[in-house]
Amino acid sequence: MFTSSRGPGPLIALLLAMLPAALFWATPLQAAQPLRLVLQWEHQAQFAGYYVAQELGYYAEEGLQVEIVPGGPAIDAPTLVENGEADFCSAMLAPVLARQAEIPATAERGLVLLLQLINRSTLTLVAWKNGADGHSPIHTAADLDDRRVSLWPAFATAYHQFFARQGVRPQVVPQHYSLSLFLRRGVDACSAMLYNEYHSLLQQGVSRDELTLFDFHALGFYLPEDGLYCRRGFYQQQPQRCAAFARASLRGWQTARQQPQLALDLVMRQVEAANLPVNRAHMAWMLQQVLQAIFAPDDQAWPTGRLRPADYTGAGTLLGLSGRLPSYDAFVTPEARHGLH
Amino acid sequence: MAFIKRSLFLRLALLILGGAGLVLLALISLNHFDMRRQLLADQRQLYHALADAAAARFDLNLQQVQQVVEEAAILFAHQPRTRLGAVNLLEQMLRRHPELYGSAIALAPQQDTVDAGFRILYSWRTTDGISTIDRSNPQQDYQSDWFYLPEQLRRPVWTDPYFDADVQTLMVTYCVPVLVDDQLVAVITGDLSLAGLRQRLGALELGSQGQPMLVSQFGRIILHPRPNWEHRETLHSLIEAAASDRDRASLEQLRNALRQPEGGLRFLQIGNERPAWLYFATANLTGWKIGFIIPEQQILAPVVVLAIKTTLISLAGLLLLLLPAFTIARTITRPLQKLCGCAEQLAGGNFAAPLPTERRSDEIGRLIDAFGQMRVDLQNHIQQLTATTAEKEKIASELAIARDIQHSILPKLFPPFPQRAGLDLYALLESAREVGGDLYDFALLDDDRLYLCIGDVSGKGVPASLFMAVGKTLLKSTMQTLQDPARTLEHVNNELAQGNDSCMFITAFCALFDLRSRELLYANAGHNPPVIIEEGQTRLLEAASCPPLAALEGLSYHNQRLTLADGARLLLYTDGVTEAMNPQQQLFGEARLCQLLQSQPARTAEGCVSSIARAIRQFANGAEQSDDITLLCLSYRDHAAAGETCGHNSQSPTSLLVLTNHLSELPRLVAWLEELHRKLAWPLEVLQQLNLVLEEWLVNVISYAFDDTQLHEIELRLWHRPDQIRLEVCDDGRPFDPTAQPEPDLSLPIEQRPIGGLGLHFILNSLDEVRYQRQGGRNQVCFVKQLTTTVNS
């Protein structure tokens, strides 16, 4: 689900970082308190724009005091926002929709979308070109039939739709936080984010020409990913504030696009402070890929920061949640509908 | 480096030092490089072995853990699943196997945990002993590799290193699935802590700077000298992040090398670019690469130490070499120096300076012996030379004396007969050596007869000179007795031929000249024919040649007669004249002699002889004189009338002076008068008057009397009486009668007076008497000056 190149690294700092969050879990938020943004995973370049907005004072310019809290394997960011323990969160559309499908469409605790950052899907399926055993090539989706494939549960539905469309029935096993099974050739193919796991594979000695990459976006599966969410109730109470927050955040992302080195430095600062086992080269790749997924190469591809209705519906279909989701207007705030000004 | 050129000692010493030193250095260098190579190879082998050993030990550890966990899995599979049983099993494992850090038993998610009483148990080694807990987050554990991998792979597997939150430790785990009826029942694990691994690796002898390195099978860096790379970077991420091309190349080199199961390579460290070596081997059970990074400095350290030792030994060796080098050089240069000092002493004359005392049989010894011998020989030689020189000097001095004696027996006073006016005779003898064999002689036998002789003894030097002395004396005395040239020659020939063992002979020409009749009576004994110069013509006086004297007894000689014209000149000479040679080996010859006499007629005998001598010298042009040159020139002018003008026919003048017609002769006049003034005690005014008069007259004569450019003689004769002085001046110029000149018109102003005349006037008035006669084509003027009877004070 939420993955990073999760190698072992001292997570002591991580636990320590969680302590202040634990203190705040008990008490509901007050309007005068700093706004808390919880990230969907541990600090990494995936959240560069927020670091930039924070560091360069964009939140402050909007009159906001913001606290950025990392996620992790034990933390479910949307849940924290739902509970009111955080004001905003960064999360992927798929798990958020999955959750929204289970609660009333207009519940106050439901999440609304403030900013659709990653519009271009980065979800992929990575396969051994010659199969796990080295003798059974996988060049096309058709070759996936009856092959062992590990999939992230959060995207399982989407993958199955993909398989169904290709007319293949692979043997699916769940995939968690590491690529060890794939590396050990325990499966023929695995889930990977283009900006993360794919590059991790490369960094662990797998060369590009050993792999067959099934790029969902390229294959016509449009599933937007990272977005900025807040609680519906909170939005209804303080729409201006939420808009301001979204605005500043998007500005941060725009600056990150213009000054990637600065953004990268800020990312590495967070990473090193948290003593996370990631290297700069990986963060650089991640930043580059994320920026490409946020900002369209031209205006025709997608509007930056906004979720199109068709994409919302399509996502629902891909995830098999059609009919159970809130309406577009109920889920997508005007900011994410029309853009920020 | 001039001082090296000047010192044999230094050169030798340096040569020996240099040569031996070079050889020494070469040997040591070769040895050094050989040892260096060997050392490096040994070092590499050592680290290879270390890497192998570390990998093997690691494998051993892993092996042990594998065994333990597999055994435990088997056990667990067959024992009832109870908490107690599980805990016991875990704790036993840990107790029996100290290499194990921790162990877990995790029941599969679908298993019934109620009966079992646990889900996931974990035991691990703490400082107090062994602790066992229930895992706090089983859900998370099920998603961790240590459960997930064996679950999916359905076989035992080693995980990658990871951080376990429950025990806050970095570890690596062997996880064994427990399968019953092909169903996963549980997973049993065994942990190795990375800290323990690091400790064990660190315990290996890596030297002061060597450090271990661990890289996972997927290139993740587990252990590295740079801690911030551990668990973050992989071999590939490092290449991605390489700051420079060189770094990238180095990292790629490392990555490629690490694909091999084992090896060693040299690389440049990232950042500081210092060379280091990596030796690694593979721990086969996990596929990890265990290696050691050793800075090259450390590997080369023993080599450096070796190099330093080698250098020091070399230097010591060279220093030691100095001693024999200097000693050898000294054994050569010291005796040389001593010899040098000895030679200097020798040059200064000290023959007693001590030679080097060393007795040696080598080159130096031979040199010393030769030097000593040379010294002795030199001494002897000098002594001989001194003796010889002394003798030579004695002989030379005796020769000099002999020369003086020889010269003194020849008449040398010229003019020899001043009382015989008109008799002009001059002779010259230039010997080739100190003493010679030429002779000449002349004497007045009586008032009217003059004896002449010239001769040449065969040979040269002392023998000829002795013979010459005898011959000359004999000729003269015989002539004085016999008064006949031929008879004289006969007599002298017989005398000399007697007992002439040395076979020497004398060529001679001897003659008697009658001054009244002007008849020359002569005989020639093999001598060069004399030359007659008459009326400007030269001819040789060919005589019937008779053999030289002293060769044979009993030879007869003949007289011949000749009348010499007035003013004719007779020249006697020896073959030293005609056979004088120039460097081109040409002879002077009679022809040249005659030609000379003809072309340059001298006015006096002395002038004639001098000019011939000069001509011979010029002709010889530096060639050595090979024979004595003897010349005798005679001319007789009958001046019977001389003195007539002055009324002193019978008396010969007190003094005669002959001048040539040149103004430069006037000082001779002055000197002559001075001499006479001194000798005859004239009053000063008389001298002055005579000076003025004669000067005036002679200037006139010289300036106006002669039309040609020839040399003419002006004869001055002086008769002295206590009461008067008479001077006769004769010249052969134009007739000029001083007494017949008109008186100058003294009344005319100077500008109007004709030139001349005043001087004459002065002369006529200064003297008491002036008489003139023209006779024989000559002007004869007589000046008389009365001397006052009053004696000058």
Side-chain angles (χ1 to χ4, degrees):
Chain A
M1 192 164 62
F2 316 116
T3 55
S4 73
S5 48
R6 189 176 167 238
L11 299 181
I12 302 165
L14 179 63
L15 290 171
L16 286 172
M18 282 164 63
L19 274 173
L23 290 174
F24 282 105
W25 288 348
T27 45
L29 291 174
Q30 307 294 328
Q33 285 178 326
L35 297 168
R36 181 175 296 143
L37 166 69
V38 61
L39 305 173
Q40 71 211 61
W41 196 245
E42 294 155 356
H43 288 300
Q44 51 193 23
Q46 191 176 353
F47 314 112
Y50 302 112
Y51 307 135
V52 172
Q54 177 83 298
E55 179 69 19
L56 297 188
Y58 296 158
Y59 295 127
E61 280 174 37
E62 300 281 358
L64 307 169
Q65 208 184 336
V66 172
E67 183 193 352
I68 302 176
V69 171
I75 298 167
D76 184 43
T79 305
L80 291 182
V81 171
E82 206 177 291
N83 295 342
E85 287 161 42
D87 303 298
F88 304 97
C89 74
S90 167
M92 285 201 189
L93 184 62
V96 170
L97 286 182
R99 178 69 183 141
Q100 303 314 301
E102 285 162 26
I103 59 173
T106 53
E108 275 199 359
R109 68 173 192 278
L111 266 53
V112 292
L113 179 67
L114 279 173
L115 196 60
Q116 184 58 43
L117 285 167
I118 294 183
N119 259 306
R120 183 214 190 274
S121 172
T122 66
L123 192 66
T124 68
L125 189 75
V126 176
W128 288 109
K129 189 173 272 178
N130 290 322
D133 58 12
H135 309 304
S136 327
I138 301 175
H139 296 313
T140 62
D143 299 327
L144 288 169
D145 195 29
D146 204 30
R147 309 300 283 267
R148 270 170 68 86
V149 171
S150 66
L151 300 174
W152 284 318
F155 294 98
T157 320
Y159 279 113
H160 283 302
Q161 294 232 8
F162 167 67
F163 294 141
R165 216 178 283 186
Q166 303 298 324
V168 292
R169 289 178 69 95
Q171 302 163 36
V172 175
V173 297
Q175 181 169 328
H176 303 302
Y177 305 125
S178 83
L179 296 162
S180 300
L181 190 61
F182 180 78
L183 283 169
R184 281 168 174 73
R185 295 173 179 265
V187 286
D188 291 299
C190 69
S191 302
M193 289 307 201
L194 191 60
Y195 61 80
N196 199 345
E197 286 75 18
Y198 179 68
H199 187 249
S200 289
L201 287 177
L202 297 179
Q203 283 203 334
Q204 288 181 83
V206 182
S207 74
R208 283 180 165 82
D209 46 7
E210 283 179 278
L211 299 173
T212 303
L213 185 68
F214 298 98
D215 180 347
F216 264 32
H217 184 88
L219 293 169
F221 286 79
Y222 304 121
L223 189 61
E225 293 166 7
D226 291 18
L228 181 66
Y229 296 91
C230 68
R231 207 158 156 269
R232 187 177 281 114
F234 183 61
Y235 181 74
Q236 283 162 352
Q237 282 170 14
Q238 305 183 50
Q240 258 69 20
R241 225 156 158 231
C242 297
F245 184 82
R247 191 161 43 242
S249 301
L250 184 59
R251 233 179 114 201
W253 276 107
Q254 279 160 346
T255 305
R257 184 195 192 198
Q258 282 151 14
Q259 301 180 54
Q261 282 305 312
L262 167 67
L264 190 58
D265 289 340
L266 292 175
V267 166
M268 289 312 295
R269 202 200 297 173
Q270 294 286 357
V271 157
E272 279 155 18
N275 213 0
L276 294 170
V278 291
N279 59 68
R280 193 185 174 102
H282 186 52
M283 292 294 98
W285 168 276
M286 188 183 281
L287 181 63
Q288 183 200 20
Q289 294 297 318
V290 165
L291 287 169
Q292 282 177 6
I294 293 175
F295 298 99
D298 54 69
D299 291 331
Q300 302 310 308
W302 63 83
T304 306
R306 292 154 54 188
L307 182 64
R308 291 179 289 195
D311 293 333
Y312 179 68
T313 318
T317 311
L318 258 179
L319 295 169
L321 300 169
S322 308
R324 290 152 62 197
L325 291 175
S327 69
Y328 176 75
D329 291 335
F331 181 72
V332 181
T333 64
E335 285 73 25
R337 270 181 256 155
H338 310 299
L340 294 156
H341 306 291
Chain B
M1 301 279 260
F3 71 96
I4 286 198
K5 277 196 196 153
R6 298 193 48 197
S7 171
L8 180 62
F9 175 76
L10 272 181
R11 276 218 307 277
L12 271 174
L14 282 174
L15 256 175
I16 294 168
L17 203 63
L22 273 174
V23 170
L24 182 69
L25 278 172
L27 284 174
I28 289 179
S29 300
L30 282 171
N31 193 35
H32 167 80
F33 285 114
D34 201 39
M35 285 187 70
R36 183 178 188 273
R37 202 176 36 79
Q38 191 62 42
L39 249 177
L40 275 175
D42 285 348
Q43 287 278 86
R44 291 204 206 117
Q45 247 182 330
L46 169 70
Y47 289 115
H48 255 303
L50 260 179
D52 281 341
R57 200 181 294 187
F58 191 60
D59 267 342
L60 193 63
N61 274 336
L62 299 176
Q63 181 81 23
Q64 285 168 331
V65 168
Q66 276 183 199
Q67 235 173 318
V68 168
V69 181
E70 279 164 12
E71 275 171 10
I74 293 169
L75 268 174
F76 186 76
H78 294 107
Q79 77 181 28
R81 273 162 239 148
T82 62
R83 184 188 178 85
L84 196 60
V87 169
N88 277 342
L89 181 60
L90 283 174
E91 290 180 355
Q92 241 186 13
M93 275 166 70
L94 282 171
R95 229 173 275 127
R96 282 216 204 113
H97 302 280
E99 69 276 6
L100 207 54
Y101 175 76
S103 182
I105 300 177
L107 292 176
Q110 34 316 18
Q111 293 294 308
D112 174 22
T113 55
V114 176
D115 283 345
F118 72 96
R119 183 163 286 284
I120 304 179
L121 280 169
Y122 184 69
S123 291
W124 79 101
R125 212 176 293 280
T126 59
T127 45
D128 303 325
I130 297 172
S131 299
T132 309
I133 54 160
D134 289 276
R135 296 287 290 183
S136 59
N137 194 345
Q139 287 309 316
Q140 202 174 322
D141 285 340
Y142 287 138
Q143 290 177 348
S144 304
D145 274 353
W146 62 261
F147 188 90
Y148 177 69
L149 286 176
E151 182 196 29
Q152 297 297 329
L153 293 171
R154 303 183 85 81
R155 59 172 166 83
V157 69
W158 281 97
T159 65
D160 285 339
Y162 65 95
F163 184 77
D164 187 284
D166 273 12
V167 291
Q168 297 284 295
T169 311
L170 276 167
M171 58 179 65
V172 65
T173 305
Y174 189 63
C175 18
V176 179
V178 179
L179 296 163
V180 173
D181 299 329
D182 218 30
Q183 289 286 328
L184 181 70
V185 165
V187 167
I188 305 198
T189 70
D191 301 326
L192 277 174
S193 82
L194 281 187
L197 256 181
R198 184 196 293 267
Q199 216 175 12
R200 274 195 288 278
L201 280 175
L204 291 169
E205 278 292 323
L206 292 177
S208 60
Q209 295 172 55
Q211 286 187 293
M213 185 195 74
L214 265 179
V215 173
S216 83
Q217 58 179 304
F218 300 118
R220 304 185 72 88
I221 293 178
I222 302 166
L223 266 182
H224 196 272
R226 288 174 193 249
N228 58 337
W229 284 4
E230 291 174 355
H231 310 296
R232 287 204 176 91
E233 304 282 353
T234 72
L235 295 177
H236 304 271
S237 75
L238 286 175
I239 294 172
E240 256 188 285
S244 71
D245 285 337
R246 199 179 302 186
D247 283 349
R248 176 167 295 119
S250 188
L251 289 163
E252 278 172 355
Q253 185 194 16
L254 272 168
R255 179 199 60 194
N256 296 341
L258 284 165
R259 286 198 177 125
Q260 306 302 318
E262 62 174 12
L265 77 150
R266 182 179 183 275
F267 67 98
L268 293 175
Q269 291 177 313
I270 307 304
N272 62 14
E273 297 204 354
R274 283 211 286 267
W277 287 82
L278 168 69
Y279 293 97
F280 67 93
T282 311
N284 295 310
L285 291 178
T286 53
W288 289 6
K289 300 287 195 298
I290 301 182
F292 303 109
I293 295 178
I294 326 280
E296 192 168 64
Q297 213 180 335
Q298 187 178 305
I299 293 186
L300 289 178
V303 175
V304 168
V305 167
L306 174 69
I308 291 173
K309 270 196 209 158
T310 309
T311 311
L312 286 174
I313 291 174
S314 308
L315 284 173
L318 280 173
L319 276 172
L320 282 175
L321 261 180
L322 271 176
L323 198 61
F326 280 163
T327 308
I328 292 175
R330 235 165 90 76
T331 58
I332 293 177
T333 58
R334 197 151 64 104
L336 286 180
Q337 270 175 341
K338 277 201 199 150
L339 269 179
C340 176
C342 213
E344 281 167 9
Q345 295 264 322
L346 199 64
N350 178 12
F351 281 78
L355 287 175
T357 50
E358 301 129 44
R359 288 280 140 255
R360 296 158 64 142
S361 51
D362 61 2
E363 288 86 343
I364 300 283
R366 286 201 285 278
L367 178 63
I368 294 172
D369 288 343
F371 193 85
Q373 187 59 43
M374 179 196 79
R375 205 165 56 163
V376 167
D377 289 346
L378 205 60
Q379 241 173 332
N380 294 340
H381 189 65
I382 287 176
Q383 276 171 0
Q384 278 178 7
L385 210 59
T386 316
T388 310
T389 310
E391 281 212 20
K392 198 165 158 219
E393 278 172 4
K394 209 160 55 159
I395 291 175
S397 73
E398 282 177 2
L399 266 180
I401 293 170
R403 176 201 177 90
D404 290 344
I405 293 175
Q406 192 186 35
H407 278 232
S408 70
I409 67 177
L410 294 173
K412 279 210 286 304
L413 192 61
F414 299 107
F417 314 112
Q419 69 278 17
R420 295 312 301 250
L423 184 60
D424 188 8
L425 190 132
Y426 192 80
L428 173 73
L429 192 149
E430 283 176 3
S431 345
R433 300 189 192 177
E434 285 80 4
V435 291
D438 276 12
L439 65 95
Y440 69 83
D441 204 359
F442 52 80
L444 269 177
L445 294 186
D446 52 41
D447 274 351
D448 298 313
R449 280 186 309 171
L450 178 66
Y451 155 66
L452 289 175
C453 169
I454 194 165
D456 186 357
V457 179
S458 65
K460 302 194 223 346
V462 170
S465 70
L466 289 172
F467 217 58
M468 167 264 193
V470 169
K472 184 243 177 216
T473 315
L474 212 50
L475 278 168
K476 183 168 180 187
S477 63
T478 309
M479 183 64 94
Q480 278 170 339
T481 312
L482 298 180
Q483 310 222 343
D484 181 292
R487 301 291 82 75
T488 304
L489 287 179
E490 280 169 6
H491 178 82
V492 170
N493 175 48
N494 292 334
E495 286 292 325
L496 288 178
Q498 250 178 33
N500 180 10
D501 296 330
S502 58
C503 297
M504 300 181 85
F505 57 87
I506 310 181
T507 63
F509 174 92
C510 99
L512 268 181
F513 183 54
D514 192 317
L515 295 171
R516 279 171 310 190
S517 63
R518 306 187 70 86
E519 186 186 71
L520 185 77
L521 184 69
Y522 61 92
N524 190 346
H527 195 79
N528 305 70
V531 179
I532 305 271
I533 307 117
E534 217 166 35
E535 311 267 320
Q537 298 296 317
T538 60
R539 68 168 201 278
L540 289 174
L541 194 60
E542 294 294 348
S545 192
C546 299
L549 306 173
L552 272 175
E553 286 183 66
L555 294 174
S556 55
Y557 295 84
H558 324 288
N559 280 319
Q560 278 173 281
R561 287 169 207 276
L562 168 79
T563 306
L564 271 180
D566 188 34
R569 193 163 267 141
L570 175 71
L571 178 74
L572 307 179
Y573 60 93
T574 60
D575 60 6
V577 171
T578 48
E579 286 172 14
M581 238 192 313
N582 68 1
Q584 286 81 29
Q585 314 267 329
Q586 293 165 322
L587 300 177
F588 193 79
E590 284 102 349
R592 205 186 304 264
L593 178 66
C594 292
Q595 211 238 333
L596 174 70
L597 290 167
Q598 219 160 315
S599 64
Q600 296 170 21
R603 288 293 166 193
T604 61
E606 185 180 353
C608 178
V609 165
S610 304
S611 71
I612 295 170
R614 207 169 28 244
I616 294 171
R617 259 199 300 284
Q618 265 178 346
F619 175 80
N621 197 17
E624 204 186 332
Q625 186 182 338
S626 59
D627 200 354
D628 303 340
I629 293 173
T630 309
L631 289 158
L632 190 147
C633 183
L634 167 73
S635 79
Y636 185 56
R637 188 162 280 138
D638 188 358
H639 291 311
E644 202 178 62
T645 321
C646 282
H648 286 270
N649 301 14
S650 50
Q651 257 189 333
S652 12
T654 311
S655 186
L656 166 70
L657 177 68
V658 179
L659 298 175
T660 46
N661 61 328
H662 209 277
L663 288 173
S664 61
E665 293 274 83
L666 288 176
R668 284 183 62 200
L669 169 71
V670 174
W672 183 61
L673 287 175
E674 272 279 349
E675 176 83 25
L676 289 169
H677 151 73
R678 244 202 328 275
K679 266 209 298 222
L680 304 173
W682 295 335
L684 192 60
E685 65 210 20
V686 167
L687 169 67
Q688 286 168 345
Q689 264 187 332
L690 285 178
N691 244 324
L692 289 168
V693 161
L694 286 176
E695 251 193 74
E696 184 63 40
W697 178 249
L698 282 172
V699 167
N700 268 297
V701 167
I702 290 166
S703 308
Y704 306 119
F706 306 101
D707 301 318
D708 56 19
T709 55
Q710 303 274 25
L711 288 173
H712 297 267
E713 288 178 340
I714 307 167
E715 295 166 357
L716 294 94
R717 288 177 177 78
L718 185 134
W719 286 263
H720 173 82
R721 273 192 355 214
D723 59 328
Q724 69 171 200
I725 298 171
R726 287 174 184 267
L727 264 166
E728 185 186 81
V729 184
C730 291
D731 69 75
D732 58 356
R734 282 188 293 125
F736 182 77
D737 185 354
T739 56
Q741 302 298 323
E743 291 273 338
D745 187 355
L746 293 173
S747 61
L748 283 177
I750 281 190
E751 310 86 15
Q752 290 177 13
R753 293 204 203 125
I755 294 171
L758 260 183
L760 208 48
H761 174 78
F762 166 73
I763 288 170
L764 293 172
N765 284 330
S766 301
L767 296 169
D768 301 298
E769 207 179 320
V770 179
R771 281 202 287 263
Y772 174 80
Q773 192 176 322
R774 175 108 185 146
Q775 195 170 37
R778 298 160 68 85
N779 298 309
Q780 294 175 348
V781 182
C782 183
F783 305 99
V784 179
K785 177 75 186 175
Q786 297 288 358
L787 292 170
T788 56
T789 48
T790 53
V791 181
N792 30 317
S793 51

